[in-house]
Amino acid sequence: MPGGPAGGGPAAWPATGAGAATSGAATFAGAWAKAVSGTSYLPMTQAQLEALLCRLAQDLAAALLAEPFDLRAGQRVGAELVAAHIASAEGLGRTVEVVQLRLVRDLGLVADDVEDRMARLLAAVATGYARALRDRTLDEQESIRRAAMTARAEAERALRASEARFRHQATHDPLTGLPNRALFTERLAAAVNTPGRAADRVGLCFLDLDRFKRINDSYGHQVGDALLTMVADRFRRALDGHLVARLGGDAFVVLIENTGGTRDVIAVAEAALAAVHEPALVAGHEVAVTASVGLVERQVAGTSPGELMRAADCTMHWAKSAGGDCWELYDAERHHRQLARQALSAAIPAALERGEFFLDYQPLASLRDGRLIGVEALVRWRHPQLGVLRPDSFIDLAEETGLIVPLGGWVLAEACRAAGTWSASGGAAPFVSVNLAVRQVHRPGLVQEVRTLLRHTGLPPERLQLEITESTMMSTAEEPVRALRVLADLGVRIAIDDFGTGYCNLAYLRDLPVTELKVAGEFVAGLRTPEARADERILASLVSLAHALDLTVTAEGVETAGQAERLRAIGCDAGQGWHFGRPEPADRILARLS
Amino acid sequence: MGRPNWAPDEIDIERPSVARMYDYYLGGSHNFAVDRAAAQAMVAAVPEAPLMAQANRAFLRRAVQFLVDAGVRQFLDIGSGIPTVGNVHEIAQRAAPDARVVYVDVDPVAVAHSREILAGNDGATIVQEDLRHPERIVDHPDVRRLIDFDRPVAVLIVAVLHFVPDDDRPAELLRTLRDALAPDSWLVLSQASADGRGDDERAEAEAVYRRTDNPLWIRSRSELTALFDGFELVEPGVVWVPQWRPESPESAEEAERSAFIGGVGRLGG
């Protein structure tokens, strides 16, 4: 308790009485209110403010006169001012000023040591005020900082949530909700590249819906999408526990981790095929769905995600080639053969440019007198690494890829060029027989191509024979027939190659300008054994059929003199085969001729 | 710039916030050094700035009291800022304990602070949204939880419209809000005006607020009056805020120093 004023004069209300004191307090409160208004925002009406200040004025008056003098009363008033939001530096300054100037006078206070007491009272008010204001400031600072932190945490949480949402969008297929290629690649990489997993085995099941494009085309994309969604749901259910991803389009892939062998991936494939097989009713359409599945399963060590994906993808195409609705298991040897073939096929254009192809010729001899009447041009490839390749190792590839058109064009041109230089000493020079692939025959411009070649090489048309297969004529297109007819009218010989082994529609013999039938070697092979009467009868019938139609017949694959003799007896016109000469460069054949 | 577009806004307390500057004008300490620096620059340009804020706050208090007396029990305070002294819910719920108040502010710190203040108050809440998206405000589940739009609502947009430039089509925003309201609903608007002030002062004030996310858009009394479209202004119309139903004649003296104009309108039935 601070010491009271010296003398400690008795407190005394002025003689005018309590009523006057009250009205004095109100007058003072009005002045006080005016002094503090505008120093800070006061959340009350003027009347409320004056009532508050009036009460505080009376508290101050009481404190001023109290015996003993109590500093706490002044401090309380300071704190109450702050609590009422009269809380600013200016608010305090003006309060001190107005109390000092007017409190004693307005309230008519009388005390011996009133100046002393006033100084100490104001000190107490200022102390209480400053303390409360400081506490309040600190509280408010703390609360706004806390709010800022909360807002930050909230923003962070929102960021993480949208990151998670964004990541989900980035890693999932929007149509089916399945993981997408990105997520699959990530998980596959983790399965293969995580250290310590080298001894594990891993499998992939690559699924592609069969003829999905046709569903899209015939029912529209909405039905296609609905079907994909349905298939995805089935996969999710049937292949629970494995990561199923949609790679795009109608391609899906399943990651099978920790496999024990191929049976594990086969089980997944069969479950997937069964799931696809369930009858599907999509947008009111009953749709039959099948899939082609490629499987690969191997130890993690020594493989890579890319290799696994390529292997599974390529295997899926084997299943497609096998007609779909089945699975195939990756076979490294088959894959390597395929790769080698692809490499060979890719090398054809450059080989053509570099002149790696050349022609050998095989004699066609008259069975009547053994005279050389023609040669068949046979293409060879002098491959820089693989040596000389026979046509059976690359013609199929060229046909698949369409490279047969430039390659066949080169063969035709080269054969015509060479044949144009052959001169006959004595008899007629041999004709040259060139194989035409289906695509060459169906290509517009064939007639023009042949005409130009004949003009440039000077080769008479009757010394060019074009060999086509029966399958060339299977299509009902009129254009090829018209082209062949024009060529035949020019005098070019048209032969049906491998007659009797393909699709054998005799009707085309009536429509086509054919001049010769080449009978497949397998009939001739039968002539080696005396008891093969059936082959001989077939040959005889073919010959008589051909002759009835004014066609000549050449037998292929004649290997022995006995076969040649039998064929001659049947009435066959000409023969081709080892018995008459193997394929060799033209100059050697021509040398023998002269 | 480097932030992907899916990311929510960052909390940048290195930038002055108009809500915390306003708190500073009112004498509060819910502000950071950067806010005080900006507010002090404003005071240097416009010395009456604290008085303006106080006058505006007093207008809000009188307007809410007026609405409570008129029987309104639902308040939607858009752009409520830092829930400093003299909040709408304090005024409204003191007079009518069943009054419901939804605060709306775009400033995440103000929102977090409001949430803390309002914890435990079932009749009041805060929603983080922008006045520029009134349809989102009206459809917000927390707004719908407390406010029944089939009954009269008082929409308070006090000391906010000067942060909404004409390019943001304030009339359309207000029309959207109006269309959501039942007859006998109310609209309270106030905003800074430069009527009767020099160009220099106006330019300096605008320069200060360009440092915040919310540049100033001053409007004249007739422009603000036009924004009450569809509402019937109660007496005395759009005036300097100290002149709006003052509690004593003295408090309306030198009213133009407040630089704030405001009014209260009622939606016809």
Side-chain angles (χ1 to χ4, degrees), chain B residues 213-264:
Chain B
D213 288 330
N214 304 89
L216 271 185
W217 189 276
I218 305 295
R219 284 191 182 84
S220 68
R221 187 183 295 200
S222 61
E223 286 174 304
L224 188 62
T225 304
L227 291 177
F228 277 98
D229 181 36
F231 292 85
E232 196 181 314
L233 281 163
V234 297
E235 282 302 316
V238 172
V239 291
W240 296 112
V241 288
Q243 294 169 333
W244 196 87
R245 301 189 179 228
E247 279 152 358
S248 65
E250 308 89 70
S251 60
E253 283 168 12
E254 295 185 300
E256 71 283 357
R257 290 180 63 207
S258 73
F260 267 87
I261 50 176
V264 176

Side-chain angles (χ1 to χ4, degrees), chain A residues 435-452:
Chain A
N435 292 285
L436 279 192
V438 178
R439 290 201 202 215
Q440 286 176 283
V441 178
H442 285 247
R443 195 164 153 265
L446 175 68
V447 172
Q448 192 53 43
E449 184 183 353
V450 173
R451 265 202 183 117
T452 308

Side-chain angles (χ1 to χ4, degrees), chain A residues 44-45 140-141 143 146 163, chain B residues 29 31 61 113 116 247:
Chain A
M44 59 192 105
T45 64
E140 291 188 353
Q141 280 283 296
S143 99
R146 198 164 47 234
E163 272 169 351
Chain B
S29 302
N31 43 69
R61 171 165 51 77
H113 198 213
E116 185 181 311
E247 279 152 358

